[in-house]
């Protein structure tokens, strides 16, 4: 049964966007925390965190993540925080999993787990079966819930493999990301095929790459449990690419649509309940 309130998962920064692409992309810890705070006030209940170094380049440095996570928690203690373990730039388990070792108020509630390798326009995200299983096992050991990233139907099947191995426990949280040039497209057929194959006890949100963001978000609001939105996936307010977006504008638009549909944004506390996450005080003590 669908929840009455929808999850807004904000991906504010990502690995790739720069100030040259869009001056509103938050890169420094201060910029990210400020941007996130504004978006939480408008209804974001999950924050998908990437860290950047002093030059604005993507970084796997756990201390950079710790600074961002602690400051977000200071502003909103109940917010659900996801840390990336992306395989797009780093292929060593130690680098990708370093953020999972954070403790106390720097520990993320969730971590991304992409369930297969895929190509983007200029690079690849490499996720071998062994790497996926190692990351899943470490998340399980640390009490960090996987944010299951799905770009294709085969990745749904691999989630079922992990379930059989005892590496995932329900409720399962899936981000379905569509519209990438080399994976499932932003079509009703592709959405329906993927959603139909999800395991029972799944919570799923829809995301779109580039111009696919708003159509897929709209479908997620109407038919799913929510959306992933933000400048990581899309830099523009309009499909014609004439109006650069900010994270705040993207979240405000989604929140307004959600309210029109009678499904207002879930609070961080409600999102924790939907995903089976403990309270912050319990989570950071593990």
């Amino acid at each position: 049964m669908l929840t009455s309130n929808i999850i807004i998962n904000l991906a504010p920064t990502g690995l790739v966007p720069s100030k040259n692409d869009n001056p509103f992309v938050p890169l420094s810890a201060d910029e990210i925390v400020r941007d996130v705070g504004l978006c939480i006030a408008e209804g974001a209940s999950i924050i998908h965190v990437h860290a950047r170094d002093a030059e604005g380049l993507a970084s796997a440095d756990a201390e950079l993540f710790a600074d961002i996570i602690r400051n977000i928690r200071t502003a909103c203690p109940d917010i659900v925080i996801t840390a990336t373990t992306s395989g797009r730039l780093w292929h060593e388990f130690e680098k990708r999993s370093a953020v999972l070792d954070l403790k106390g108020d720097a520990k993320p509630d969730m971590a991304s787990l992409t369930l297969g390798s895929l190509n983007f326009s200029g690079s690849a995200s490499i996720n071998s079966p062994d790497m996926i299983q190692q990351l899943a096992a470490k998340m399980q050991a640390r009490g960090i819930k996987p944010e299951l990233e799905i770009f294709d139907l085969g990745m749904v099947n691999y989630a079922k493999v992990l379930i059989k191995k005892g590496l995932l426990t329900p409720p399962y949280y899936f981000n379905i990301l569509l519209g990438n040039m080399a994976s499932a497209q932003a079509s009703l057929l592709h959405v329906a095929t993927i959603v139909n194959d999800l395991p029972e006890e799944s919570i799923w949100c829809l995301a779109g790459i580039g111009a696919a963001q708003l159509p897929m978000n709209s479908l997620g609001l109407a038919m799913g449990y929510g959306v992933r939105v933000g400048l990581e996936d899309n830099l523009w307010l309009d499909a014609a690419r004439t109006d650069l977006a900010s994270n705040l504008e993207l979240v405000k638009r989604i929140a307004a649509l959600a309210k029109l549909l009678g499904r207002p944004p879930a609070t961080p506390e409600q999102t924790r309940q939907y995903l089976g996450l403990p309270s912050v005080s319990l989570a950071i003590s593990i």
Side-chain angles (χ1 to χ4, degrees):
M1 180 180 295
L2 291 181
T3 55
S4 57
N5 297 69
I6 60 97
I7 295 169
I8 298 179
N9 184 338
L10 172 67
T13 303
L15 292 165
V16 176
S18 70
K19 295 286 189 184
N20 290 332
D21 300 317
N22 181 326
F24 300 117
V25 177
L27 299 182
S28 70
D30 287 345
E31 288 177 338
I32 293 169
V33 171
R34 183 171 58 250
D35 225 29
V36 162
L38 294 171
C39 292
I40 291 171
E42 296 297 330
S45 59
I46 300 177
I47 308 300
H48 182 100
V49 175
H50 287 259
R52 301 292 186 99
D53 64 18
E55 283 71 48
L57 300 176
S59 175
D61 186 337
E63 288 308 309
L64 293 177
F65 279 91
D67 185 36
I68 295 167
I69 293 170
R70 287 193 185 102
N71 281 288
I72 292 173
R73 287 211 194 284
T74 298
C76 184
D78 290 334
I79 196 69
V80 177
I81 297 178
T82 297
T84 186
T85 65
S86 174
R88 197 164 174 179
L89 297 181
W90 306 286
H91 308 305
E92 307 91 344
F93 175 73
E94 291 73 22
K95 280 191 175 181
R96 293 181 62 174
S97 67
V99 71
L100 305 178
D101 290 319
L102 292 173
K103 296 179 173 62
D105 58 359
K107 178 186 173 185
D109 301 286
M110 305 176 72
S112 67
L113 187 64
T114 303
L115 296 176
S117 298
L118 69 150
N119 291 328
F120 292 98
S121 60
S123 63
S125 177
I126 306 301
N127 303 286
S128 69
D130 184 58
M131 177 66 75
I132 295 168
Q133 291 181 38
Q134 285 187 71
L135 288 170
K138 187 165 183 177
M139 291 178 200
Q140 188 175 65
R142 293 285 296 121
I144 295 171
K145 190 176 189 69
E147 181 180 285
L148 302 167
E149 314 291 9
I150 298 293
F151 290 82
D152 255 324
L153 182 59
M155 295 187 187
V156 177
N157 192 64
Y158 200 69
K160 296 175 182 178
V161 171
L162 298 184
I163 291 169
K164 289 179 181 178
K165 289 179 175 291
L167 292 171
L168 300 178
T169 55
Y172 313 109
Y173 176 59
F174 289 92
N175 269 326
I176 304 171
L177 298 103
L178 303 175
N180 176 51
M181 63 178 293
S183 50
Q185 294 305 291
S187 72
L188 287 173
L189 177 60
H190 285 200
V191 172
T193 303
I194 290 172
V195 169
N196 184 64
D197 205 40
L198 293 175
E200 293 184 6
E201 298 185 78
S202 291
I203 303 289
W204 57 274
C205 291
L206 278 180
I209 307 299
Q213 186 173 83
L214 183 57
M216 291 301 97
N217 282 176
S218 299
L219 189 58
L221 294 177
M223 304 298 294
Y225 292 84
V227 306
R228 164 170 147 159
V229 69
L231 295 180
E232 174 173 350
D233 300 333
N234 169 46
L235 299 173
W236 302 89
L237 272 177
D238 59 328
R241 296 189 172 191
T242 62
D243 193 3
L244 286 166
S246 69
N247 284 309
L248 182 59
E249 288 173 316
L250 292 173
V251 171
K252 278 186 170 182
R253 179 166 66 181
I254 289 302
L257 288 172
K259 291 170 185 175
L260 284 173
L261 290 167
R263 302 184 69 200
T267 65
E269 182 180 357
Q270 287 171 323
T271 296
R272 286 183 177 277
Q273 292 172 352
Y274 297 157
L275 301 182
L277 292 171
S279 65
V280 173
S281 59
L282 179 59
I284 65 177
S285 68
I286 298 173

